[in-house]
Amino acid sequence: MGNFDEVINRWNTKSVKWDLVETLFQSKDVIPMWVADMDFKAPQEVNEAIIKRAEHGVYGYTLADHAFKESIINWNKERHNWSIQPKWLTFSSGVVASLHMAIQAFSEPNDGILIQTPVYPPFYNSINALDRTIIKNPLIFQDNYYTIDFADFEEKLKQVKVFILCSPHNPVGRVWRKDELEEMARLCIKHNVLIISDEIHGDLVYPGKKHIPIASLSEEIANQTITCMAPSKTFNVAGLAASYCITSNEEYKRLLDKAFNKQGFHSDQLNTMGQVAMEAAYTYGAPWVDELNTLLESHYHFVKESFEKHAPELNVVKSEGTYLLWIDCSGLKLNAKELREFFVKEAKVGLNAGKDYGEEGEQFMRMNVGCPRETLEEAVERIIEAVKRNRI
């Protein structure tokens, strides 16, 4: 199982999170808690599988064989009660790349693409980069919790060809309930809107919560959906660049593969080490993930309770999953620019600016708590002390 207490020095490992600290925050004294990777070693079985493969010493083109595909199928069946077939799989270097390909395959320039804001910045970036039109269905923030405005959702569906679902939702931490997913799917089918479901955080849900792949709800919904998944967030293997799309719709599968092939990507091949890591993680990693999710929930409660007691100006939004906390900072009475500078210069903690997730996030910051408790406690203490100084 994981050693989640071990503090690992990631400096000088070409780590985006750590080795860009000085560039991004103008100081090496800042604790980075921004980009979505964790400071934990991958499961031992994953590391051992990579070492064994490296000892072979030959890294030729790698086949996505039966055993590899079975590991994906078994994981989704056992973890999410979703029965998928090998022929439904398309492989990709990452979920963001898959979003780009799917948008190209199923829409035209100027077409509307629906997103639920505030949301993961690459949703905006991919839509803009491909000259499509962003249509927003802002989530409702009430009683420290986010819900869906279904009346607005249906109205906006009339303007789009594609809806990109974030499930679980990054950054607000919602794990959508079955009834919410069913209603979104019902309306998408009614208005003939394709669902592209980003479920990269689907394994990271707190104990007692359940991630439901939207395509698992019914054959009809599956036929309207392309699901994007990866082990990258779950097992902290993002640098190994391996993900996959799932669709039971044969025409969608054909068009998606065609989009990949037009860009020179072979949808049946992956990075060798990424494939090795995925198979090992999905075969042996379940106990590790269970332990991780328990830890992440405890981290969420620690941050929330610490701020409630010592820095009530900061309000941690109720979360149900992921290792990303969405913090309402409106109590500090700072604008978006001042807010970022406060955390970097006063607290010496590098968070994600909420405004990057849409205008709805201007009074928020996103905090990555995928780190040892020692690191988290130091960061929280720095923030609390900075808040106290700000009161004077």
Side-chain angles (χ1 to χ4, degrees):
M1 298 256 254
N3 182 0
F4 299 112
D5 293 325
E6 182 183 4
V7 178
I8 300 167
N9 184 350
R10 296 184 65 190
W11 293 108
N12 301 315
T13 62
K14 296 182 173 61
S15 163
V16 168
K17 186 177 185 180
W18 287 86
D19 290 332
L20 286 182
V21 163
E22 193 166 10
T23 299
L24 292 174
F25 304 115
Q26 293 75 54
S27 172
K28 285 199 75 170
D29 295 331
V30 170
I31 300 175
M33 307 187 83
W34 62 291
V35 71
D37 71 17
M38 298 185 286
D39 294 328
F40 305 130
K41 287 183 179 179
Q44 185 60 26
E45 294 89 347
V46 172
N47 294 323
E48 288 173 355
I50 290 172
I51 291 168
K52 181 179 179 180
R53 182 65 183 83
E55 287 174 343
H56 183 263
V58 180
Y59 311 111
Y61 296 113
T62 302
L63 175 69
D65 65 2
H66 175 76
F68 170 59
K69 292 178 181 178
E70 279 296 305
S71 71
I72 297 170
I73 290 166
N74 292 338
W75 180 264
N76 277 282
K77 178 61 178 176
E78 293 167 11
R79 203 81 192 171
H80 305 303
N81 195 30
W82 185 20
S83 297
I84 65 175
Q85 298 179 24
K87 65 181 181 180
W88 298 355
L89 295 169
T90 292
F91 298 103
S92 169
S93 61
V95 166
V96 173
S98 297
L99 290 177
H100 277 256
M101 295 302 180
I103 290 170
Q104 290 181 73
F106 300 102
S107 65
E108 302 293 335
N110 300 316
D111 282 347
I113 309 288
L114 182 63
I115 57 176
Q116 294 174 310
T117 55
V119 75
Y120 184 47
F123 283 20
Y124 298 93
N125 300 341
S126 59
I127 297 168
N128 285 328
L130 295 168
D131 300 318
R132 274 60 169 175
T133 303
I134 294 171
I135 305 295
K136 300 199 299 182
N137 168 228
L139 298 173
I140 299 170
F141 183 50
Q142 188 173 6
D143 298 327
N144 202 37
Y145 193 65
Y146 281 89
T147 56
I148 298 165
D149 182 341
F150 279 108
D152 181 73
F153 181 76
E154 180 167 20
E155 190 61 32
K156 299 295 175 57
L157 285 177
K158 300 173 185 177
Q159 307 172 37
V160 305
K161 287 186 176 179
V162 175
F163 163 49
I164 306 178
L165 171 65
C166 195
S167 178
H169 195 283
N170 170 13
V172 309
R174 275 302 316 277
V175 176
W176 303 115
R177 300 187 311 269
K178 183 180 180 182
D179 63 295
E180 293 171 312
L181 294 167
E182 287 176 333
E183 182 63 4
M184 285 189 282
R186 183 186 71 81
L187 292 170
C188 285
I189 290 169
K190 176 182 176 181
H191 295 283
N192 194 29
V193 171
L194 168 69
I195 303 167
I196 302 174
S197 188
D198 174 359
E199 303 190 13
I200 198 169
H201 294 280
D203 301 319
L204 300 174
V205 297
Y206 298 161
K209 296 297 177 180
K210 176 69 176 172
H211 170 68
I212 303 170
I214 192 167
S216 72
L217 292 173
S218 74
E219 287 187 18
E220 185 182 26
I221 295 168
N223 199 50
Q224 194 85 1
T225 304
I226 294 171
T227 304
C228 302
M229 290 181 158
S232 51
K233 306 302 182 191
T234 309
F235 298 101
N236 207 32
V237 292
L240 295 176
S243 77
Y244 54 97
C245 305
I246 305 170
T247 183
S248 59
N249 186 311
E250 291 183 7
E251 180 63 8
Y252 286 175
K253 175 74 163 63
R254 185 186 70 80
L255 292 172
L256 185 61
D257 288 350
K258 182 179 178 181
F260 273 98
N261 292 335
K262 282 177 69 174
Q263 299 298 325
F265 297 106
H266 296 287
S267 58
D268 59 348
Q269 290 185 343
L270 276 177
N271 171 291
T272 299
M273 292 307 185
Q275 183 170 320
V276 167
M278 190 188 300
E279 184 174 343
Y282 281 166
T283 303
Y284 304 107
W288 188 91
V289 177
D290 291 341
E291 187 179 348
L292 171 66
N293 284 335
T294 298
L295 177 82
L296 294 178
E297 183 182 39
S298 75
H299 279 10
Y300 155 65
H301 285 296
F302 169 74
V303 176
K304 184 175 180 61
E305 291 162 12
S306 295
F307 288 166
E308 285 174 350
K309 185 174 182 180
H310 302 291
E313 294 91 333
L314 303 176
N315 181 40
V316 179
V317 172
K318 183 178 179 181
S319 184
E320 298 165 332
T322 83
Y323 50 77
L324 306 167
L325 302 185
W326 190 234
I327 304 173
D328 181 355
C329 305
S330 55
L332 292 175
K333 303 189 185 314
L334 302 172
N335 63 37
K337 181 181 178 183
E338 292 168 339
L339 200 54
R340 183 184 184 278
E341 291 182 351
F342 170 80
F343 280 95
V344 172
K345 295 180 179 179
E346 300 297 325
K348 298 290 186 182
V349 178
L351 309 183
N352 288 100
K355 69 180 182 63
D356 293 341
Y357 300 79
E359 61 185 357
E360 301 87 356
E362 288 195 352
Q363 287 295 305
F364 292 77
M365 299 292 284
R366 192 188 77 165
M367 182 179 193
N368 178 348
V369 297
C371 60
R373 180 58 72 97
E374 180 181 330
T375 304
L376 184 65
E377 289 177 353
E378 171 64 21
V380 167
E381 182 61 28
R382 288 186 184 191
I383 292 169
I384 289 170
E385 290 304 312
V387 170
K388 290 179 178 178
R389 292 193 299 271
N390 187 64
R391 294 177 189 148
I392 299 172

